[in-house]
Amino acid sequence: MGLFLLVLIVVWGLLVGVLRWLAAHPWIPVVLLLIAVAAGGVWVHRRRETARWNRVREQGLRYALPQIDALHHTQFEDAVRDLMRRDGCPEATRVGGAGDNGADVKATDPFGRLWVMQCKHRKAGRAGAAVGTPDLHVLNGTGRPVHHGDVVVLVTNGRFTGKAVDFARSQRLHLVDRDLLARWAAGSTPLWELLGTVPSPRRPASGS
């Protein structure tokens, strides 16, 4: 108890000393406040500028196939996420990793449809191993039942086996192969317009 009182007295003494010093130098709190306001203004300005340049980058985002082929598989997922953002899905996120349940990217488009996307990167591009039905089985088993996706897509910079194409068609899964990816990544047309057979919109597009 005695030690606590001693500490309390010391703290009180320091506090009183600081208050007296500030009373003798009243301009110091004003300067500190101005510095804090200026620093806050700079921080807000930088945040706004960063957000603005991110929007500009996303709106003009383009990838050539050699760029995509050179990506790491996680960077490929980031690229797919950024392309969806460019298309008008600002809240698109990369969720790939352990326990992702077959989803690498999720995005809600301007029409309210939830996109669940799995990404398969091939370093060798078209010459790499074709994506087969096992990967589609995983996506089909989680895309709608687990993630509640409206549009379930598998994207690759490579190719699909014939059986994978048939299975995707039978299960209403959407495939983006190397050729379609090239058109999407290098152009400015939203993926849903390139696919052409996606579910009906849940809501009108903003501004329509």
Side-chain angles (χ1 to χ4, degrees), residues 43-163:
W43 181 81
V44 170
H45 175 73
R46 288 180 176 175
R47 282 288 298 268
R48 287 177 177 173
E49 283 296 296
T50 298
R52 184 173 72 86
W53 282 112
N54 282 342
R55 288 194 296 270
V56 170
R57 181 183 63 82
E58 290 165 2
Q59 289 169 2
L61 184 65
R62 301 288 187 276
Y63 286 105
L65 283 178
Q67 290 177 286
I68 292 176
D69 292 341
L71 297 176
H72 183 269
H73 70 88
T74 57
Q75 293 174 320
F76 181 53
E77 294 168 4
D78 287 335
V80 170
R81 174 203 62 197
D82 292 344
L83 286 169
M84 292 299 289
R85 288 180 178 176
R86 182 202 69 185
D87 286 355
C89 310
E91 297 181 0
T93 56
R94 181 173 74 85
V95 295
D100 61 18
N101 288 321
D104 295 317
V105 174
K106 286 185 176 182
T108 300
D109 67 23
F111 304 97
R113 295 172 298 212
L114 175 61
W115 291 62
V116 176
M117 311 176 78
Q118 188 178 102
C119 306
K120 293 298 177 183
H121 186 264
R122 296 292 187 258
K123 290 182 179 179
R126 197 187 304 276
V131 178
T133 53
D135 292 311
L136 289 175
H137 288 160
V138 174
L139 181 61
N140 192 46
T142 61
R144 295 185 183 93
V146 176
H147 300 290
H148 309 293
D150 298 302
V151 190
V152 183
V153 187
L154 200 152
V155 184
T156 182
N157 64 322
R159 56 197 171 88
F160 294 96
T161 64
K163 289 183 178 180

